[in-house]
Structure formats: C-alpha cells, structure tokens
Amino acid sequence: VAAEAGLWLFEHPREVHVAVAPNACQLRDPRDYHRREPHPGAIVHWTDAGAPGGRMAVALPEALREIARCRGVEQAFVAVESALAAGLLRASELRRVCAGLPASAALALSRASGRSGSITEAVFVFRARSLGVRIRQQVQIGADRVDVVLGDRLVVELDGREFHVKERDYARDARLGVRGYRVLRFSYQQVMFDWPTVEAAVRAAIARGDAA
C-alpha cells in the first residue's frame, strides 16, 4: 500500500505483506486449527484493524501502523512524514495510525509534521531527536529557505539523491555565514549509511556552541 502510494521507503518490499483478521481461519494449519501457518513468500500480519480499505488492500493508516510493527518506528516515521507532505494523510488519520502502538512509538510518530522535503531530511530529523536540541524545519532565513535549524544558529542542509548544483550551494552557505549561521551539509549516502559520522559532526558543532 505504501509503495503504491509513492511514499518514501528505505527499500521496496521484496515480499508480499498480507493483513489477516485474528479470527480468520484461511491461513490456519490444516493439521492444527489453533496454529497459524505462514504462507510461503508472504509476511502475515494478524491484525484486528477493521478499517475501510478494499478487498485487495488495507487503508493507508492501517498500512502505516503495520510498517511500525513490522519494520520499526523509524521507517514508519519516514513513511508517515511523506504521506503528510503529499496530502495523503490527515491529522485525524495520524491519530488512527498511532492507536494501538506502544506509547514510545506513538509519541515518535505523532511528531511527524509533513515538513520534510526528502527522505534524507525525514531520516535526519527522526535521528536528531536524540541530540536534545530544538529542531526546526524549512526555515526562511533572508532569501534562503533551509532544511533544518538546530538550536538558534546551526543550519543543516540535506542533499537528496538527485544532483545538486554546487556553486549555488556555496553561495547559499556564504549568505548564511554572513548572517551568523554555521552550516553543515550532508548527503543522502551519509545520512542513510554513515549516521555515526553525521551524528559525531553535529554533536561536535553543538559542543563548540554553533547551535547557540
């Protein structure tokens, strides 16, 4: 469902995920009615989410909740963030996504705002929560709109998978520097696959007082 909606995903699922009511008998082991038998090539989600969707797919809020249960809160946050950004999910539906999840997972997903402009930004914002500083997204500073501001003065720009015009980035960073901002810039590859280095760089900047 999430892939069909074009949501940001860490990877497209290689297997089929099937939602089945807890009292359904079609996937029971024929030798033991009380035993559930996983279907070859499919991941079965035994869920009582009886919300409207369709005969072939659950509704988007239920799919997002199952991502949290199956793939973890971080991947669910990224998918929720992209759904909000695309106008595919409303605030009332986000509450439905959070219903029934553990309190920590529900809190993390409730912080999604739909302000992220890319999967890189969504992942960075989710992981940066542990840094203990104020996070603002899509902040207008003079003529420039920046991805993230940590604290008051630390700007983080997050390059997506697509090609970036470096000269434009240099000019933008210079303008922000004139205004007293410190700029860190990270690529999709760094955020997704080398987070310890990204986190170390951000923590070092905060320790120097760059965010104050």
Side-chain angles (χ1 to χ4, degrees), residues 20-169:
V20 178
N23 60 352
C25 62
Q26 288 89 344
L27 294 179
R28 301 284 182 182
D29 189 329
R31 295 160 296 182
D32 182 355
Y33 182 79
H34 298 285
R35 182 180 174 188
R36 292 164 176 165
E37 181 183 32
H39 191 281
I43 294 178
V44 178
H45 295 248
W46 301 90
T47 173
D48 58 359
R55 292 180 61 85
M56 297 301 294
V58 299
L60 183 58
E62 281 61 52
L64 292 168
R65 186 190 307 134
E66 292 306 310
I67 290 176
R69 289 171 171 164
C70 182
R71 288 293 188 257
V73 179
E74 181 178 75
Q75 294 197 41
F77 177 88
V78 170
V80 167
E81 186 76 352
S82 62
L84 290 170
L88 299 176
L89 189 72
R90 298 188 297 270
S92 60
E93 293 173 316
L94 177 55
R95 290 191 290 272
R96 207 164 96 203
V97 174
C98 296
L101 291 176
S104 59
L107 177 61
L109 294 186
S110 70
R111 289 172 171 162
S113 64
R115 293 191 182 96
S116 297
S118 67
I119 186 174
T120 315
E121 184 178 340
V123 172
F124 177 88
V125 167
F126 181 87
R127 295 177 180 177
R129 297 281 182 199
S130 66
L131 300 175
V133 295
R134 182 168 58 120
I135 300 173
R136 290 177 290 155
Q137 291 180 258
Q138 299 301 317
V139 179
Q140 193 71 36
I141 302 175
D144 300 302
R145 191 171 184 84
V146 302
D147 292 332
V148 177
V149 177
L150 299 179
D152 294 325
R153 292 287 174 178
L154 182 56
V155 170
V156 179
E157 290 286 70
L158 299 153
D159 298 339
R161 303 179 190 182
E162 71 278 3
F163 175 76
H164 272 254
V165 180
K166 294 301 180 184
E167 290 300 324
R168 183 184 61 195
D169 291 341

